[in-house]
Amino acid sequence: MSFQPVTSTRRLPGNAKRSDEPIAVGLSDQKHVDALDCSQHLLPLDNLPVYDRNKEELVLGGLMIDYWCRLGDKVVLSGWFAGTYQDKVFETPRSQGIALCSFRRPDVEVAFPSLGNACRGFLAVLNVSETNSIRFCSHDLLLTANKHIEPSDDRLWLDHRNRLGFLLENYSGQAAEIASIGNQLESASDYERRAQGFLEQARGVVGFGGIVAGWIVTLPGVKAALMDTRGNIEWLDRAVRWHRNDIVEAYSAEFGNLTFNAGFLQAWRLPLQHNDVLRLVAFDGNACYILGTTQWKPAPIEPTSFARWAFSFPTPPDRFADRLDNHDGSIIESLLSASIESRVADPPRTIIIGTRVEHPICSVVVPLYGRHDFMANQLLAFSDDKQFGATAELIYVVDDPRMLSEVEQRAWLLYEANRISFIIVSAGENRGFSGATNLGASVAKGRFILLLNSDVIPVEPGWMGKMIAAIDASPAVGIVGARLLYPNGSLQHDGISFVWEHSWSAYLNKHPRSGLEPVTPVTDRPSRQIAVTAACLLLDRSTYDTVGGLDEGFLIGDFEDSDLCLKVRQLGLDVVMVTDVTLIHLERQSFQQIGLEQFREQVARYNAWRHDRRWRAEIRRLLIEFQQTVTDP
Amino acid sequence: MKILIIAHGHPEFSVGGAELAAFNLFLALKECDGVEEVTFLARSEHPSLSPGVISLRRTGEYLWRQDIGDWFKLQCSFPNTLYTIFREFLREKNPDAVFVHHYANIGVEMLRELRSTLPKAFIALTLHEYMAICLRNGQMVKNGSKRLCYTESLEECSLCFPEYSVQDFWLRKHYIQKHFEAANLFISPSEFLRKRYIAWGIPPEYIVVIENGQPTFEQTSVSDNRPKNRFGFFGQVTEYKGVDILLQAMHLMRPEIRRSMAVEIHGANLEIQGQWLQDLIDKLRMPLIAEGTLRWVGPYEPNELQRRMENVDWVVVPSIWWENSPMVIQEAFCLRKPVICSSIGGMAEKVRSGVDGLHFEARNPVHLADTLTRALIDKDLWQQLVKNIRQPPSYSECAERHLRLVAG
């Protein structure tokens, strides 16, 4: 290299040349550009700085690039500009793009006292052409090897430790680069305290996502994000927030009312790995610093347990739907569908008690969970019903492995006592109401399937025949339900309608007039309904198969009956209900979803959210068709 | 006609009114015309019997090891043996009529097995208290407050037993009633109990009243002029039999009147009652015994009853629960003793106040004190009441009425 000799012994910062040095434009020795492509018009970086001078040779502006580095598919330039070059920094071709941040360079200010604070250091990120040339500050610059540094070079990180936020934002979506920038982040203690925060839990399921919870307090303008070591970033601007008095007590002296709503929950739907470090970072101007770190821990894989854990965070009820939309709703859904898909396809364990009914007209599928004493009462009722004994195939699905042995033990006694044959089906695991019903239906041989809850007890014979007659009466009928009564004779179910629940932002199933006496008279004409309960629901086997049975994607179980009815309606079939039957439903008298203990309520909210997302428009249409009140906003 | 009587106990092992009624029916039916064979099958918990086993006691009498496995639904302990041992026994005996005395200790499942194995037999169930209606030992007295319970309802029952829900009580009632449906007819020893079972759900036409048969005693002379001032309590000393009410009433009487009376307590089992009751009774009885108006005689054997009861003029039945058809009232009437009893339930029905006895307001010792005083002061009252006493039906009359039911 043979540049103009340096005439001064005093080195200027960033190798800035003294203002009295001649302009170096065009004086480069092209051989020394090495492998880098170049052309006559290019100004090699080695020849910087360049200056603007006036007629009196006074320096009006200057540009210097101290070093450049290739980071990802872009280049990062570090240098300074002064005076007239201030206006030129953004004059770059659109294709090249540029992001630039500037900062004080006291050393340069000293070198060019006449320019005062018009001397600025800069850090720029641009796209680079294949020829390793860039257009920057009205120059076509050739990136030369002498000025090149590797991203591992400490200089870059030491000079620009306050500009890591700027770099991170400009490498959005480029995980490898973000990872390497992120690894340079330091904890907040070295910085002016403009944010405080802490990560309390980060748990997830590999392949599905996780949930991160903690708290954060920031001054206005500071943005928070989660960042792992592999370059994944999740911004916290849509995190669900809630109020925490402990944070107010600890930090209000410093942050005042900005401490309100410090708690946060944020879903992580990006890849994750257990024990990988997750950071809570604050972006403050161009800077970025770490507020807290934690390691990923495993969350329950089993969907209900995951939900139980996830729902334990006290997110405000009014933001529950929003939370499911933007955070863990999709994670729970994917865990549920994965758990269904992962089931072993072996045929279920089946035991025939008595003799198998040869050509049943109707298969009655009754799932059992938690208790089985209802069987004795149901069988007492069935045994008095000649029609039932002659035409029905009774299938008990033991959806509770805890009591399978006991049920099998008692089964033959129940057969002896009642002379009603039945089939015990078990998957050896708990699948919930939908899963158990679908399992039972899979072994059913009847032309019809009658879904029956174990706590529905007919107190008069002939009810099943009336339900079958209602579906046989018209090809337009897809589903037949039944009026159900509480033990005290009041209505338990007289058809399902939907009401908009403002606090849940969803349509909920409602049993109109539940708990009151029937007003519509008992008649042998089935009545049209929007939907009916699956506690006692008859449909054609082929219809059941066409719609795929009951949806198993609801958590624990809820809404699958209205979902089934709405699915069958989409086939163009109607839903009706018979009233001239007497069946007791031993369900506890309560508005179905409200007032449950917290987890059950949250599960109900989840299911309502899922059901509503799928059916809101259809429900609105049906409410109009049935001349009922449409109440959603 | 071949008849089978099933009882919840054999009086040789378990002395109770219902057991005795069943056994006496058995003995009386043997003597009836047209009865070819009578079998007495008594539930037993004798340790020599394996679960479910039926074993000969003596000709025509069998012991049957059976228990209640679940008092909530009145389910039997050994249901599997119903379909083996019990079924074989029924097939072998093949009775034309079955009289079942009580379902306690046996379980209600037996009824449906009777019906299915003996489809043509006449099955009658004699009801002895309110156990099917009321989980609280069939007493229809509320838990905790011990208030009298006038009607069963799912909600009220669930309040007495919070561990069981309304739904559970519905299942209980449904379960019991479905088994009751196997019977052709129900027999009640009192109209009061009949009405309670009708209110509970048995159609009125399916339930008749037959009083328990009673022995016939020699008529004792009533002509002496001795003051009729001896009162007797006969029965168990439990909190529901109201001995404490009687003692309290004595304390409330004017001392000079009280000193003119003698009260005898012929009662058993105080020592196995709750300590509070033992303490209460002790506190109440000590001064009365010291005074000489109260004699604590203690337990008696059934064959001693007649002699002991003959020694008193009045029988007092101060129970604080409804009772059904207390045997002690029947026995008192057989011995022509007027009865002073609580004005509720089976007692009020069997004793006609001012006719063959006196009522006092149940659980009210003040009123009982007044009633006892009246019995002591009104010198003609005793004679007048005794005249009106009706002889309860004899064993054979009772048996004849049972046979007439079979004939329809």
Side-chain angles (χ1 to χ4, degrees), chain A residues 371 373-374 376-377 380-381 383-384 413 416-419 457 459 487-488 584 586-588, chain B residues 73 75 79-80 83 87 112-113 154-155 165-168 170-172 174-175 178-179 181:
Chain A
R371 59 192 279 186
D373 56 330
F374 298 120
N377 292 79
L380 280 169
S383 75
D384 278 359
L413 288 176
E416 277 293 349
N418 300 293
R419 293 280 154 187
I457 321 267
V459 293
N488 63 11
I584 300 293
L586 295 170
E587 192 158 273
R588 283 175 192 261
Chain B
K73 281 192 179 172
Q75 287 176 323
N80 48 333
Y83 314 120
R87 186 176 289 175
R112 277 170 65 88
E113 178 56 24
L154 303 178
E155 292 78 10
S165 66
V166 163
Q167 290 74 18
D168 291 326
W170 188 89
L171 289 168
R172 176 183 197 270
H174 179 256
Y175 189 82
K178 290 307 280 185
H179 285 88
E181 284 175 15

Side-chain angles (χ1 to χ4, degrees), chain B residues 82-134:
Chain B
L82 286 181
Y83 314 120
T84 52
I85 299 168
F86 185 63
R87 186 176 289 175
E88 280 168 31
F89 181 79
L90 296 180
R91 285 188 178 145
E92 173 153 331
K93 294 295 171 190
N94 196 25
D96 305 296
V98 183
F99 293 109
V100 181
H101 270 262
H102 218 348
Y103 40 82
N105 295 323
I106 306 176
V108 292
E109 291 85 355
M110 128 196 83
L111 295 168
R112 277 170 65 88
E113 178 56 24
L114 284 170
R115 175 47 68 229
S116 64
T117 301
L118 307 170
K120 289 179 183 159
F122 172 83
I123 300 168
L125 172 62
T126 302
L127 304 164
H128 283 282
E129 28 67 335
Y130 316 94
M131 199 170 278
I133 304 176
C134 173

Side-chain angles (χ1 to χ4, degrees), chain B residues 237-372:
Chain B
V237 185
T238 72
E239 66 172 300
Y240 293 99
K241 292 294 184 182
V243 172
D244 53 322
I245 304 282
L246 174 58
L247 300 184
Q248 280 182 52
M250 291 174 71
H251 281 279
L252 291 167
M253 289 166 74
R254 286 166 56 192
E256 66 274 21
I257 296 180
R258 182 176 66 232
R259 285 189 209 107
S260 74
M261 75 195 295
V263 175
E264 294 183 352
I265 306 294
H266 299 267
N269 293 339
L270 175 62
E271 64 285 357
I272 59 171
Q273 304 304 313
Q275 190 60 45
W276 68 271
L277 183 65
Q278 296 189 36
D279 292 348
L280 175 66
I281 297 281
D282 257 348
K283 196 175 148 198
L284 289 170
R285 70 177 171 180
M286 284 312 174
L288 297 170
I289 290 171
E291 187 186 56
T293 45
L294 179 69
R295 296 164 72 193
W296 199 273
V297 191
Y300 57 92
E301 288 298 316
N303 57 18
E304 297 172 321
L305 177 77
Q306 182 185 355
R307 190 175 49 77
R308 291 199 183 194
M309 206 180 260
E310 275 174 352
N311 282 336
V312 302
D313 305 309
W314 305 82
V315 171
V316 185
V317 185
S319 295
I320 65 163
W321 78 291
W322 305 101
E323 298 280 5
N324 164 24
S325 175
M327 203 159 66
V328 65
I329 294 178
Q330 309 288 77
E331 288 161 342
F333 285 162
C334 285
L335 292 164
R336 307 201 66 74
K337 307 293 180 190
V339 176
I340 297 173
C341 68
S342 305
S343 59
I344 54 168
M347 297 172 286
E349 175 191 326
K350 299 297 175 192
V351 177
R352 297 167 293 166
S353 191
V355 178
D356 49 13
L358 297 172
H359 289 178
F360 71 94
E361 193 178 81
R363 304 172 171 214
N364 184 344
V366 176
H367 197 218
L368 177 54
D370 292 349
T371 309
L372 292 170

Side-chain angles (χ1 to χ4, degrees), chain B residues 210-229:
Chain B
I210 302 180
E211 288 197 34
N212 293 325
Q214 294 298 329
T216 324
F217 296 117
E218 286 295 307
Q219 294 294 310
T220 49
S221 165
V222 296
S223 60
D224 65 70
N225 287 324
R226 189 183 51 76
K228 304 305 177 197
N229 60 354

Side-chain angles (χ1 to χ4, degrees), chain A residues 130 147 220 363 429 511:
Chain A
E130 286 174 6
K147 299 271 181 171
S363 297
E429 62 181 8
H511 286 188

Side-chain angles (χ1 to χ4, degrees), chain A residues 13-27:
Chain A
N15 296 326
K17 294 186 178 177
R18 294 173 70 96
S19 55
D20 53 352
E21 285 175 29
I23 302 169
V25 174
L27 295 181

